[in-house]
């Protein structure tokens, strides 16, 4: 069997060969295919806002449940237009591109020449059909004096576990930017006890990952959330395999075989997200960590804590995910959750930021959580304690203005202060925005966590939902928005709790 490094090179070579067959390799004469049914069943989306443009995305599928979305095994020409008004009377940019089967009939249009800090509306056409009209917006100019920013953020939307009223409410909140922090899909086969079901297969190859995304993206509320504003996305584990890190998951597969699976998962992720060509994967490698500025008001840095992390510490002593807090491997300075290159990139972003507010989007709960029997999880920051410490010290030493952490993964709402030692002076504040649909933790477990950790100011594991962040130069207000019952399709959504961090003052306050 080839070594892991050789297998990685082979997979990358295959990815490059596939790229040669992607849209630029097709002629429009082949692509002018008339489709018998609506190919926009997966909706449209935008993302990666810049001062002069955004990414416009769609993926053609006439039947999300069918292999290849029911699309013919040939390219399809796709038109796009972007306008200053919702009626599309004042079109400012338009063009044509190709949706090729080699990339799942997906389209990523990187627009340019737009005005900064304003809304736009866009749509696609293909095969004699038009997509819905959706809204996006550009970022402000670098250094612009921006007075407000609204971000909606969420994670963990297991299709079987509930409906998506959180996404419908998120769209109604009229955000400037949506941030999704992982577990967009879940990779396991359908179970018998879900409130709704997707196809009964594990995602193991490109075709099965593509089908899973198509099933999720057929949800109307998720489509509404994508159509309301540009998105910035980051994956977690279930986009590949539960609890994976680097080239392993909990089943400890052969690393070379796992990299082949990871390459398929990364390709499907790219095909289904509004990402730039710079993020396109090469085999099992895909650089997704990045930062974006919103004038002088805010910088958002997104971290990838899955692809580059070291092996799980003290795995032989684990009970499920939990290992002794005294495990020496978890405090080894050489063990990184982010990898050396990403850590160096982040430290540079902490030092050169001009922003009043510095947001860190990452997948999970960052603060240390210790169980009553002195155990911690080895699947998150507690398994890589020195990486977390280096980030906190980086904020402190660089005097980074107003750091705020946004998280997901744990299926709970949490608000906490982050310090170098429990009960110490806060360096940053952290807000975990619940889960869109995935099941959480019991009241008893959350009460126990609050009792043991004075830096943990709020917790709720019963309620599904998302977080809303309203930023001005003076304050950052975070509102947890809770779904009354995610098992009901149109369940009401209410404010669950709200918190304020005032500029220049470390520590959160209940609003």
């Amino acid at each position: 069997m080839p070594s892991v490094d050789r297998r990685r090179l082979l997979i990358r070579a295959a990815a490059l060969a596939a790229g040669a067959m992607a849209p630029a390799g097709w002629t429009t004469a082949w692509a002018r295919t008339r489709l018998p049914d609506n190919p926009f069943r997966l909706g449209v989306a935008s993302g990666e806002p810049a001062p002069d443009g955004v990414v416009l995305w769609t993926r053609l599928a006439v039947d999300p449940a069918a292999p290849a979305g029911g699309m013919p095994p040939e390219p399809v020409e796709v038109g796009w237009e972007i306008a200053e008004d919702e009626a599309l009377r004042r079109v400012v940019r338009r063009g044509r591109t190709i949706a090729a089967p080699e990339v799942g009939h997906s389209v990523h249009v990187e627009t340019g020449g737009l005005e900064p800090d304003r809304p736009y509306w866009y749509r696609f056409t293909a095969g004699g059909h038009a997509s819905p009209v959706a809204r996006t917006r550009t970022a402000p100019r670098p250094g612009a004096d921006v007075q407000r920013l609204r971000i909606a953020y969420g994670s963990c939307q297991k299709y079987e576990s509930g409906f998506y009223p959180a996404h419908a409410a998120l769209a109604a909140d009229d955000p400037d930017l949506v941030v999704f922090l992982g577990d967009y899909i879940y990779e396991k086969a359908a179970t018998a006890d879900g409130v709704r079901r997707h196809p009964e297969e594990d995602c193991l190859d490109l075709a099965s990952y593509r089908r899973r995304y198509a099933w999720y993206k057929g949800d109307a509320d998720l489509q509404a959330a994508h159509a309301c504003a540009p998105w910035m996305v980051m994956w977690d584990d279930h986009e590949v395999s539960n609890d994976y890190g680097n080239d392993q998951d909990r089943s400890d597969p052969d690393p070379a075989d796992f990299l082949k699976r990871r390459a398929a998962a990364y390709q499907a992720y790219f095909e289904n997200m509004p990402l730039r060509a710079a993020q396109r994967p090469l085999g099992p490698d895909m650089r997704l960590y990045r930062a974006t500025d919103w004038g002088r008001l805010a910088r958002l840095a997104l971290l990838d804590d899955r692809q580059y992390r070291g092996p799980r510490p003290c795995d032989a002593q684990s009970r499920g995910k939990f290992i002794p807090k005294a495990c020496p491997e978890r405090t080894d300075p050489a063990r990184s959750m982010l990898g050396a290159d990403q850590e160096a990139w982040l430290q540079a972003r902490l030092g050169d930021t001009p922003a009043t507010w510095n947001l860190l989007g990452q997948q999970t709960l960052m603060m240390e959580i210790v169980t009553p029997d002195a155990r911690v999880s080895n699947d998150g920051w507690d398994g890589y304690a020195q990486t977390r410490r280096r980030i906190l010290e980086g904020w402190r030493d660089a005097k980074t203005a107003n750091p705020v952490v946004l998280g997901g993964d744990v299926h709970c709402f949490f608000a906490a202060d982050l310090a170098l030692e429990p009960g110490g002076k806060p360096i940053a504040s952290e807000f975990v925005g619940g889960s869109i649909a995935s099941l959480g933790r019991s009241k008893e477990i959350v009460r126990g966590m609050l009792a043991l950790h004075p830096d943990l100011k709020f917790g709720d594991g019963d309620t599904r939902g998302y977080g809303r962040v309203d930023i001005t130069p003076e304050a950052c207000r975070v509102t947890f928005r809770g779904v009354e019952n995610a098992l009901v399709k149109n369940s009401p959504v209410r404010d669950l709790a709200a918190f304020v961090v005032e500029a220049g003052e470390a520590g959160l306050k209940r609003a």
Side-chain angles (χ1 to χ4, degrees):
M1 176 178 291
S3 69
V4 174
D5 287 345
R6 177 167 170 72
R7 177 66 66 89
R8 184 189 294 270
L9 288 172
L10 291 172
I11 297 170
R12 286 171 64 92
L16 286 169
M21 296 294 291
W26 295 100
T27 70
T28 55
W30 293 342
R32 286 172 183 157
T33 301
R34 190 159 189 89
L35 298 172
D37 207 348
N38 173 26
F40 297 106
R41 301 294 179 88
L42 308 186
V44 300
S46 68
E48 305 297 306
D52 65 342
V54 295
V55 177
L56 305 181
W57 171 93
T58 193
R59 178 183 160 207
L60 305 184
V62 296
D63 181 359
M71 294 295 294
E74 57 195 37
V76 176
E77 189 176 68
V78 179
W80 60 271
E81 55 189 341
I82 188 165
E84 295 177 335
D85 63 306
E86 189 172 6
L88 305 182
R89 293 190 182 94
R90 299 190 303 277
V91 173
V92 293
R93 291 287 184 276
R94 57 164 48 100
R96 309 196 75 78
T97 186
I98 298 296
E102 287 73 18
V103 289
H105 285 103
S106 63
V107 168
H108 301 74
V109 176
E110 298 187 26
T111 65
L114 303 181
E115 296 179 7
D117 198 18
R118 61 149 298 161
Y120 285 94
W121 287 262
Y122 64 95
R123 73 173 174 186
F124 294 92
T125 55
H129 303 270
S131 77
V133 175
R135 183 180 61 183
T136 188
R137 72 172 302 116
T138 50
R141 288 188 181 91
D145 184 16
V146 181
Q147 294 300 304
R148 63 172 297 276
L149 167 63
R150 170 168 284 186
I151 295 173
Y153 72 103
S155 65
C156 305
Q157 54 184 23
K158 190 173 185 180
Y159 187 89
E160 297 175 277
S161 294
F163 296 100
Y164 295 162
H167 276 310
L170 182 158
D173 276 345
D174 194 23
D176 300 302
L177 181 66
V178 177
V179 177
F180 199 85
L181 295 172
D183 293 345
Y184 191 98
I185 63 164
Y186 281 67
E187 81 288 9
K188 293 293 187 182
T191 60
D193 55 357
V195 66
R196 54 181 180 165
R197 302 187 69 179
H198 53 64
E200 297 181 6
E201 63 179 349
D202 285 329
C203 295
L204 297 172
D205 57 17
L206 181 56
S208 54
Y209 281 110
R210 281 173 173 170
R211 283 192 291 272
R212 188 61 49 86
Y213 279 101
W215 202 265
Y216 275 58
K217 283 182 168 292
D219 184 274
D221 290 334
L222 177 56
Q223 290 185 12
H226 272 297
C228 77
W231 281 43
M232 298 284 292
V233 298
M234 178 55 70
W235 52 39
D236 194 20
D237 55 338
H238 287 288
E239 286 87 353
V240 181
S241 178
N242 183 43
D243 288 353
Y244 96 92
N246 205 308
D247 60 6
Q248 290 286 287
D249 65 13
R250 288 284 174 185
S251 67
D252 291 329
D254 176 89
D257 290 339
F258 186 81
L259 286 176
K260 185 176 179 181
R261 179 182 182 183
R262 198 177 88 178
Y266 284 9
Q267 176 65 27
Y269 186 84
F270 177 80
E271 289 174 359
N272 285 279
M273 297 295 150
L275 292 166
R276 295 184 182 277
Q279 274 79 54
R280 182 175 177 174
L282 281 176
D285 303 315
M286 180 173 171
R287 175 171 165 168
L288 203 57
Y289 61 88
R290 61 209 188 279
T292 190
D293 288 344
W294 209 262
R296 284 203 313 269
L297 182 62
R299 168 172 287 179
L300 170 67
L302 292 178
L303 294 185
D304 177 359
D305 73 15
R306 288 288 170 186
Q307 185 174 183
Y308 311 105
R309 63 168 62 182
R312 297 185 299 269
C314 296
D315 220 22
Q317 303 174 52
S318 66
R319 298 176 191 163
K321 300 181 183 183
F322 292 92
I323 60 173
K325 182 185 177 185
C327 158
E329 293 176 12
R330 64 182 286 268
T331 56
D332 179 356
R335 185 180 294 274
S336 177
M337 190 165 172
L338 304 177
D341 290 346
Q342 186 175 191
E343 280 204 48
W345 170 87
L346 178 61
Q347 292 297 338
R349 302 292 80 71
L350 304 183
D352 70 4
T353 174
T356 301
W357 294 93
N358 287 277
L359 308 179
L360 185 66
Q362 50 79 50
Q363 292 97 318
T364 188
L365 175 65
M366 198 172 192
M367 74 166 288
E368 182 178 79
I369 295 292
V370 184
T371 66
D373 61 347
R375 286 180 169 266
V376 298
S377 171
N378 70 350
D379 186 51
W381 294 98
D382 289 339
Y384 305 82
Q386 289 302 312
T387 307
R388 173 176 56 208
R389 187 174 191 87
R390 287 192 289 267
I391 293 173
L392 292 171
E393 290 175 340
W395 278 322
R396 180 199 64 190
D397 296 345
K399 296 181 173 55
T400 303
N402 304 309
V404 173
V405 178
L406 305 178
D409 178 67
V410 294
H411 307 174
C412 296
F413 289 102
F414 286 124
D417 285 329
L418 296 175
L420 288 171
E421 306 298 337
K425 181 180 178 181
I427 293 176
S429 296
E430 175 175 22
F431 302 95
V432 177
S435 69
I436 297 294
S438 305
L439 301 180
R441 306 186 188 194
S442 69
K443 285 185 173 68
E444 292 73 24
I445 290 176
V446 172
R447 284 196 203 104
M449 295 170 69
L450 291 167
L452 285 171
H453 302 89
D455 293 334
L456 193 61
K457 309 298 185 183
F458 176 86
D460 184 315
D462 284 343
T463 311
R464 311 280 67 80
Y466 63 99
R468 188 178 67 210
V469 185
D470 288 292
I471 300 175
T472 67
E474 295 75 31
C476 172
R477 180 186 177 100
V478 179
T479 305
F480 291 155
R481 301 272 285 149
V483 177
E484 288 191 7
N485 185 356
L487 302 181
V488 176
K489 184 169 177 54
N490 296 313
S491 178
V493 176
R494 59 185 173 83
D495 289 355
L496 185 65
F499 309 88
V500 172
V501 181
E502 295 179 0
E505 295 188 17
L508 62 88
K509 300 174 183 177
R510 191 74 180 256

